[in-house]
Amino acid sequence: MSTPLPSSAPRPRRWPWLAGSLLALAAAGLGLWQWRAWDARTRAAAADLALRVEAAESRLDALRRDQRAQQQRLQQADTTNRVLRDELLGIGQRASLLEDTVSKLADPDRRGDQALRLDEAELLLSLGQQRLLIAGDLDGARRAYALASGVLEAIADPAYLSLRQTLQQERAALDALGADPRAQALAQLDAFAATLGAAPPAPAAADPQAPWWRRAFGSLVEVRPSDRAVAVQPADRIAALAGLQLEITLARAAAERRDVAGYRAALARAEAWLARLSPPSPALRGQQARLRAIAARPLSPSIPTLGSTLQQLRQLRAD
């Protein structure tokens, strides 16, 4: 019996499925590659955009700084312009004043040279008056008035003739004063101080009209009242003489200041010290009278017409 041959049945075909899988894989790979390429481009674009934004912000900050600097420069320029404008206005005002002054000086009716001379004369008269009243400088006042007289002599205007006459009278009053009263008082005070000494008081001469017992025993017995304190001891006399010299020094300092009250008060105290040094006698009374005469002397010159020329000049210029 023969064996039956196997039947030749058709096998299933697998290649279409494999081809589809390959195509799917290829499509997936292509899609992944495209996505990665797109992602790379997107990241590059984002990075570039970030750099551009950062650069733009940097430029914006720089522009803001430049703007602030420009604003500060504008403010400084504005301030400088205001200052320059004020200075220009001041220069304009000064130029206007100078122009007015020059026009006044150039005006033939006003006679600018005469105005200048009158200004100089007024200044000299004012200086002379101040030197005499404040400093007591009689020589300085005379020189200032002499210079003012020379300036007024150069003015030919007859309207100032009375002013020159008043100035001559005032100069004559200044010349009649002689030396400075303060210097004279100080010289007399120094001469009086030079006569003072520390010698003990000399016995008084016998009075021919005194009683016989005083004439007989006056050289042996000295009688003085008990209510007077006359320094006899050397130490007391030295102290009294020092007090007298101190009061004379204070009087000299007051005379330098032209302090009449202090000067006379110091000399009054010096007169009391004289009574302490010497007993009552004609010599003591002579010294006291001499000291009172020195105290009565003036320390400042007295001119009733002082300043009349200056006052008259100002009145003439005001008219």
Side-chain angles (χ1 to χ4, degrees):
M1 170 176 194
S2 60
T3 311
L5 293 173
S7 61
S8 56
R11 296 180 179 179
R13 296 179 180 181
R14 297 181 178 179
W15 62 270
W17 177 82
L18 182 60
S21 298
L22 290 175
L23 288 174
L25 289 174
L30 180 61
L32 180 60
W33 177 79
Q34 290 180 351
W35 178 82
R36 287 182 178 179
W38 175 81
D39 183 62
R41 288 194 300 272
T42 303
R43 290 178 181 273
D48 184 55
L49 182 60
L51 290 174
R52 291 182 180 180
V53 170
E54 184 177 359
E57 289 179 353
S58 299
R59 287 194 295 271
L60 183 60
D61 292 338
L63 290 175
R64 287 174 179 174
R65 287 194 297 269
D66 293 341
Q67 184 181 5
R68 286 194 295 267
Q70 291 295 334
Q71 288 179 354
Q72 291 178 357
R73 293 192 188 96
L74 289 175
Q75 291 176 357
Q76 292 176 358
D78 189 17
T79 304
T80 305
N81 289 333
R82 285 198 299 268
V83 174
L84 291 176
R85 184 168 57 253
D86 295 339
E87 291 182 356
L88 184 60
L89 290 175
I91 292 174
Q93 292 176 357
R94 287 193 293 270
S96 178
L97 292 176
L98 289 175
E99 184 179 356
D100 293 340
T101 304
V102 172
S103 63
K104 289 179 182 178
L105 292 176
D107 189 359
D109 297 332
R110 297 182 63 88
R111 301 189 62 179
D113 56 344
Q114 178 175 315
L116 290 176
R117 288 192 177 94
L118 291 176
D119 289 338
E120 183 180 0
E122 184 177 356
L123 177 61
L124 289 171
L125 292 173
S126 178
L127 287 176
Q129 183 179 2
Q130 291 175 3
R131 291 293 301 173
L132 187 60
L133 294 179
I134 298 176
D137 186 4
L138 186 59
D139 294 334
R142 288 171 180 168
R143 288 193 295 270
Y145 272 71
L147 293 174
S149 177
V151 172
L152 289 179
E153 290 295 335
I155 300 177
D157 193 347
Y160 296 96
L161 178 62
S162 61
L163 181 65
R164 290 195 290 269
Q165 294 176 352
T166 304
L167 180 57
Q168 292 298 329
Q169 295 175 359
E170 197 166 357
R171 289 187 62 193
L174 284 174
D175 295 335
L177 287 177
D180 188 1
R182 179 180 63 181
Q184 295 178 356
L186 287 173
Q188 292 188 2
L189 189 60
D190 292 338
F192 177 79
T195 62
L196 300 177
D207 189 359
Q209 297 181 358
W212 64 269
W213 58 269
R214 178 172 295 179
R215 294 197 303 271
F217 301 102
S219 59
L220 300 176
V221 179
E222 181 182 0
V223 180
R224 60 176 182 265
S226 60
D227 58 345
R228 292 185 55 85
V230 178
V232 178
Q233 299 298 325
D236 295 339
R237 289 189 58 79
I238 291 174
L241 185 61
L244 177 60
Q245 295 288 354
L246 177 61
E247 295 300 337
I248 291 178
T249 303
L250 292 176
R252 187 180 292 108
E256 292 290 344
R257 300 191 308 270
R258 300 185 188 273
D259 183 7
V260 179
Y263 173 74
R264 292 177 178 174
L267 291 182
R269 294 191 297 269
E271 184 180 350
W273 282 112
L274 280 177
R276 174 71 174 157
L277 285 169
S278 301
S281 62
L284 175 62
R285 288 190 291 272
Q287 284 185 332
Q288 290 177 339
R290 183 181 176 186
L291 199 58
R292 293 192 194 100
I294 296 175
R297 292 193 62 86
L299 298 179
S300 299
S302 176
I303 304 179
T305 60
L306 182 64
S308 57
T309 307
L310 180 60
Q311 183 179 2
Q312 184 177 356
L313 175 60
R314 288 174 176 172
Q315 289 178 354
L316 287 175
R317 300 194 69 183
D319 294 339

